[in-house]
Each structure stands twice: as C-alpha cells, then as structure tokens.
Amino acid sequence: MGEQTTVKFPQDVIDEYAELGVDLNAIFSAGQLRDRMGVEIVEASAERVVGTMPVEGNTQPYGLLHGGASAVLAETLGSIGAMLHGGPSKIAVGVDLNCTHHRGVRNGLVTGVATPVHRGRTTATYEIVITDERDKRVCTARLTCLLRTSPGAPTGTAAS
C-alpha cells in the first residue's frame, strides 16, 4: 500500500532504546497493520504521535471509512505514545478505547494525532483526533494503556 515512511523520533529516545538493542523504527513501522490497513507513522514522541491511513481499502459496505479502521489508527497512535512515555522498562497494554465518529469519509487519507491527557507511573491516557484531508474532524478517540514492567527490564526504573 505504498512506501513505508521513516518514523521521526527524538534522537535521545532513539539512543536510549538503541543502547538496549531495540530498533524503534522497526518496532513502530506499524507491523502487519501497514500491510493490511496502510497505517504510516509520521512522527512519534511521548508528547505527540502522528500517523496516516488511506480510506481506500478501509471502508464499510456503504463506502465510508470503517469505524473499526479509525479505532485501529487511534489505538496504534495512542499505544506508541504510551510506550514512549513508559520508556524501555515498560510495555503499554490498551485497557480502554472509546471512539466517537463525527463524519463519514469516502476517499483520501486520514491523519491521526495522539496527545497525552494523563501520563502516570502505571497508566497513560491519550486523546487521538482523526481528520480528513480538509482538516475536518472525522473521529475523536481516547485510549488508556496500562504500563506494565517489561519482562527482563531492570528493576527500579519507572515512568515519571
């Protein structure tokens, strides 16, 4: 579904994970979702995650963007933000996703922007706003992730 874009991480974050042998760009290339839904991660930090997804191939029978596709984009972006907030010693597991669909989209590209609502030691909540190419809001989502200690993580490290 197109060429994979490079994820834009702050250099200090790339360095922190690289010291642990983790390639952030490979992890956050959206994995199988890229192939199935065309999700592209454009920018990623704990403060802001941006991604896009084509409408084509992600529609319901009426030809509109499927609400589940919006949910996939929202959870992908919010989970990336939560994991970056938690740091290398944590994994982010989604525990609640709420999506409100405001308008239908029949074609083009949608863009999601995830920003933090709450960033704690054990949970992180992100608001994700998905817009169409005319910058009209298509969906507003909220994702809460549980931050669990990563298997094999050094003890005593926690998100702030």
Side-chain angles (χ1 to χ4, degrees):
M1 285 207 152
E3 206 172 292
Q4 178 69 25
T5 59
T6 302
V7 182
K8 298 174 185 168
F9 290 99
Q11 189 60 48
D12 60 327
V13 173
I14 291 172
D15 295 342
E16 180 181 11
Y17 280 83
E19 289 175 10
L20 301 170
V22 176
D23 181 354
L24 283 179
N25 289 327
I27 289 174
F28 292 128
S29 65
Q32 294 176 351
L33 289 176
R34 180 181 111 47
D35 295 333
R36 292 183 183 158
M37 307 203 55
V39 173
E40 300 282 348
I41 307 304
V42 177
E43 174 187 335
S45 72
E47 292 77 30
R48 179 179 157 96
V49 182
V50 180
T52 62
M53 182 179 65
V55 174
E56 183 180 356
N58 293 315
T59 58
Q60 37 88 313
Y62 302 112
L64 298 171
L65 178 65
H66 196 290
S70 293
V72 165
L73 179 60
E75 186 150 359
T76 299
L77 301 178
S79 292
I80 289 171
M83 185 175 173
L84 290 172
H85 163 65
S89 66
K90 299 285 185 172
I91 59 171
V93 180
V95 294
D96 182 63
L97 176 64
N98 175 280
C99 298
T100 300
H101 307 287
H102 305 292
R103 70 177 57 240
V105 181
R106 291 190 180 279
N107 53 47
L109 199 64
V110 291
T111 300
V113 178
T115 55
V117 173
H118 166 76
R119 292 189 300 169
R121 286 185 310 109
T122 59
T123 63
T125 300
Y126 281 75
E127 177 184 59
I128 304 92
V129 174
I130 300 173
T131 56
D132 64 15
E133 290 177 324
R134 297 178 304 148
D135 206 30
K136 298 285 187 181
R137 191 177 290 223
V138 172
C139 175
T140 303
R142 187 191 65 245
L143 173 71
T144 298
C145 289
L146 177 65
L147 300 174
R148 300 186 62 187
T149 302
S150 179
T155 57
T157 1
S160 54

